[in-house]
Each structure stands twice: as structure tokens, then as C-alpha cells.
């Protein structure tokens, strides 16, 4: 049977010492927790891109003259596959995606309590803006307002 190897010396990394060798134990303070500015910017731009795309291709408005279910279905079948690019809705969706992406990513740098309260207040503001004014810009404004309300909280 083989012999069990025991480690006799443990290298401890102290501030000001030479860099440790491979396999050295890292102290808990060495690891950065949270999102870097590059990650925050990437999530914001990704949200803006997805929001822009979701607002760009919209169904055309259903004419008011179509009152029967059959006429509505025939009209929707006729416009199926026809692109209706809505640039205004795309810009609003892009702004909403940018605001939510930046706010969500930057909240990872907060303590747990503040992060959860930020999500709760910003999400509530987004819901309130979307339900009252019914535009993506209002939803983005509600998100930003809720995020700003959560900012003065302690960083627990």
C-alpha cells in the first residue's frame, strides 16, 4: 500500500511578499466581488440591443372596421410575414433595455439587502410606469425613478 503524503509547510501570502507559487492559498480579500465596469456596460448595451429589436418589428394596428372574428383572422393572415418596422417603438425599447441592463448589472456591486431593495423598487417603478402611461419610455422612467429611490439605502 502507498504511503499518505503530508504537507509540512504551508505558504501564507502576506501583503508586500513576493507573488506566491502555483497552488498557494489566496486570502479572502483578494477576490473582487461584483460586476466590473466592462460587464455593466456590456449588459446595458445587450439590453438596449434586445429592446431595440423587440420594439422594431410590430404587428400593424387592427382596423376598427373588423368586428367579426373571421374578418380579424383573415386580416391577420394577410399581414402575416409582412414587416412593419416601428422605429419609434424600437427607440423606446432600446432606451428601456439600456436602463434596465445598466441598473441591473450595477446592482450586483451592492450588498444583498440593497441589491434586493433596488430590484424591488426599480421593478415596481417599471410596472407602475408601464401600466399608467403604457409606453416603454414610461416604463424606463419608472425603473430609473425606483432605482434612484433605492440608492440612499445603506450598503448592507
Amino acid at each position: 500500500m502507498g504511503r499518505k503524503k503530508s504537507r509540512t509547510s504551508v505558504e501564507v501570502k502576506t501583503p508586500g511578499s513576493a507573488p506566491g507559487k502555483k497552488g498557494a492559498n489566496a486570502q479572502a480579500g483578494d477576490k473582487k466581488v461584483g460586476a466590473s465596469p466592462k460587464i455593466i456596460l456590456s449588459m446595458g448595451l445587450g439590453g438596449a440591443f434586445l429592446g431595440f429589436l423587440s420594439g422594431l418589428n410590430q404587428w400593424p394596428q387592427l382596423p376598427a372596421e373588423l368586428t367579426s372574428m373571421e374578418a380579424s383572422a383573415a386580416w391577420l393572415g394577410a399581414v402575416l410575414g409582412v414587416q412593419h418596422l416601428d422605429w419609434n417603438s424600437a427607440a423606446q425599447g432600446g432606451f428601456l433595455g439600456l436602463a434596465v441592463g445598466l441598473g441591473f448589472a450595477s446592482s450586483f456591486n451592492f450588498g444583498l439587502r440593497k441589491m434586493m431593495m433596488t430590484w424591488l423598487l426599480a421593478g415596481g417603478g417599471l410596472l407602475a410606469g408601464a401600466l399608467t402611461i403604457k409606453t416603454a419610455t414610461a416604463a424606463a422612467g419608472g425603473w430609473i425613478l425606483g432605482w434612484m429611490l433605492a440608492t440612499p439605502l445603506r450598503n448592507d
Side-chain angles (χ1 to χ4, degrees):
M1 291 183 67
R3 272 175 78 178
K4 192 175 194 181
K5 292 183 180 182
S6 64
R7 192 175 278 183
T8 57
S9 66
V10 176
E11 185 177 331
V12 178
K13 189 175 180 182
T14 59
S17 68
K21 294 184 171 52
K22 189 175 182 180
N25 295 336
Q27 292 179 344
D30 291 345
K31 187 176 180 184
K32 184 180 183 289
V33 178
S36 68
K38 193 182 282 189
I39 291 173
I40 293 172
L41 182 64
S42 298
M43 284 185 73
L45 291 177
F49 179 68
L50 292 175
F52 180 82
L53 288 180
S54 69
L56 186 61
N57 195 9
Q58 298 288 321
W59 281 93
Q61 289 293 328
L62 188 67
E65 298 84 29
L66 301 177
T67 55
S68 71
M69 185 69 90
E70 294 81 15
S72 299
W75 182 82
L76 286 175
V79 298
L80 185 65
V82 177
Q83 291 213 339
H84 177 73
L85 302 180
D86 190 356
W87 296 102
N88 183 29
S89 180
Q92 288 183 20
F95 178 62
L96 174 61
L98 179 68
V100 171
L102 289 174
F104 190 75
S106 64
S107 70
F108 287 120
N109 292 332
F110 300 153
L112 182 62
R113 180 180 177 275
K114 185 175 180 180
M115 179 176 67
M116 295 308 243
M117 288 303 291
T118 301
W119 292 355
L120 181 67
L121 290 172
L126 184 141
L127 189 61
L131 291 177
T132 55
I133 303 178
K134 296 180 178 38
T135 64
T137 305
W143 173 273
I144 293 169
L145 181 64
W147 199 87
M148 289 184 342
L149 287 173
T151 301
L153 294 174
R154 284 185 328 167
N155 196 6
D156 293 341

